[in-house]
Amino acid sequence: MRVAVANNKGGAGKTTAIVHLAEALAARGRRVLAVDLDPQANLSRRLGYGEAELASMVTAAEVVAAHQKGCAADAIVGCRWITAGAERIDLLPARYDLEARVAEAGQLGSHERLEVALVGVAEDYDVVLLDCPPSLGHLTQLGLAAADTVVLVLRPEYDHLQGAIRVRDFVTTYRRHLGRPRLDVAGVIINEHDRRRGLHAWHTDSVTETFGPLVWSPPIPSRAVLAEAIDAAQPLRARGAPARALIATFSTLADQLEAATDALA
Ligand SMILES: Nc1ncnc2c1ncn2[C@@H]1O[C@H](COP(=O)(O)OP(=O)(O)OP(=O)(O)O)[C@@H](O)[C@H]1O
Ligand SMILES: [Mg+2]
């Protein structure tokens, strides 16, 4: 099952959700492919590949340019974490020059290039998580055209909710053009939730009013240990006792991801 994670608002926690859902899924024995579609390459770094190394690697930029069936296999590398289960996570990395692929947006059928590259490759995994940049442009469209379903990530704030709504509406309007007539939103993850902030409680209600039963729970709380794991490019399982509650949170979200994708299968 291929899941595009998106929001047309930056800093929502898309990459964070992918990294730690991948961790949770791998811990229960699933094979996961994380696909970095963001020239920022945050996902690639958090799974162990820094900018200097990425410079000499085959990345999503070359894969999309090649436009060959199954060529994603030439770029896939293993996650570099040393915790148990990490060997079940693979990465299709990105580099800053993935941005150059945007120039191909006008070419007929160019939105299908990632999907073509994943033919015969995605099937090796239980879950493929596609990390979209905070835009509705060509790179996100490559991800949507390769996806079976969409998960939105947002902070309980006005601009984040609007960004998520724009993705949902974009999917509804353009899914046929993207060759995915049944593509839809399967879930909404609320990130950086702070129970003490009235604004967050208020916007959490708005998210529920907008997306109803698609909203997964619990929300991901705002936690220093998560920011530290992100910074250090480590899994939560490397952060000891302070990370235990978050490990449980991501495991519950992974249950909902699997339930949602099972329902589509
Ligand atoms: N639950 C959280 N608790 C603490 N810090 C968090 C949490 N979620 C995200 N962050 C912080 O917010 C930053 C942005 O998160 P992330 O990179 O996952 O967002 P994004 O949606 O992928 O951003 P972009 O739109 O740039 O791709 C992280 O670097 C991290 O420091
Ligand atoms: Mg990101």
Side-chain angles (χ1 to χ4, degrees):
M1 190 58 64
R2 299 184 281 190
V3 183
V5 176
N7 191 339
N8 185 209
K9 175 78 184 88
K14 300 176 286 295
T15 307
T16 299
I18 290 197
V19 168
H20 299 292
L21 280 171
E23 181 185 357
L25 291 162
R28 60 179 68 169
R30 308 292 185 259
R31 296 256 312 137
V32 183
L33 174 64
V35 179
D36 197 345
L37 289 174
D38 190 337
Q40 296 182 90
N42 297 156
L43 177 63
S44 305
R45 186 193 66 82
R46 294 182 203 176
L47 295 182
Y49 296 86
E51 195 157 328
E53 237 172 329
L54 288 165
S56 58
M57 288 168 66
V58 182
T59 65
E62 291 78 25
V63 162
V64 169
H67 198 199
Q68 298 281 325
K69 257 190 192 170
C71 71
D74 301 336
I76 290 172
V77 289
C79 169
R80 285 256 182 81
W81 297 339
I82 51 169
T83 43
E87 69 281 1
R88 285 188 284 276
I89 303 174
D90 279 350
L91 167 72
L92 173 53
R95 202 174 39 226
Y96 67 91
D97 57 356
L98 179 57
E99 198 72 60
R101 301 277 71 78
V102 173
E104 293 158 3
Q107 295 174 23
L108 194 65
S110 60
H111 61 275
E112 291 169 354
R113 288 178 174 216
L114 178 66
E115 141 109 282
V116 169
L118 287 170
V119 168
V121 177
E123 292 77 2
D124 290 344
Y125 299 91
D126 297 300
V127 184
V128 178
L129 298 167
L130 302 139
D131 191 16
C132 298
S135 86
L136 294 171
H138 185 59
L139 299 175
T140 293
Q141 290 170 32
L142 284 166
L144 294 174
D148 300 306
T149 192
V150 181
V151 168
L152 305 172
V153 180
L154 50 78
R155 296 184 189 210
E157 293 171 20
Y158 189 89
D159 293 338
H160 285 256
L161 177 55
Q162 295 306 309
I165 290 171
R166 281 196 299 279
V167 175
R168 180 198 61 189
D169 294 349
F170 184 86
V171 167
T172 312
T173 307
Y174 294 108
R175 56 194 166 195
R176 278 185 190 285
H177 301 269
L178 294 169
R180 292 270 161 191
R182 297 213 303 272
L183 192 67
D184 221 334
V185 174
V188 178
I189 296 175
I190 300 176
N191 181 35
E192 286 252 43
H193 186 260
D194 184 346
R195 276 185 290 126
R196 295 160 304 182
R197 280 164 70 173
L199 190 69
H200 279 194
W202 196 81
H203 281 300
T204 298
D205 289 346
S206 321
V207 174
T208 308
E209 273 164 35
T210 308
F211 291 105
L214 295 179
V215 182
W216 294 348
S217 69
I220 304 167
S222 179
R223 290 286 179 272
V225 68
L226 183 50
E228 286 157 14
I230 291 167
D231 218 61
Q234 283 182 333
L236 288 165
R237 280 161 180 76
R239 306 296 306 185
R244 258 183 226 141
L246 278 166
I247 289 172
T249 297
F250 279 101
S251 180
T252 308
L253 293 169
D255 291 342
Q256 286 156 98
L257 175 73
E258 294 207 291
T261 54
D262 284 352
L264 290 170

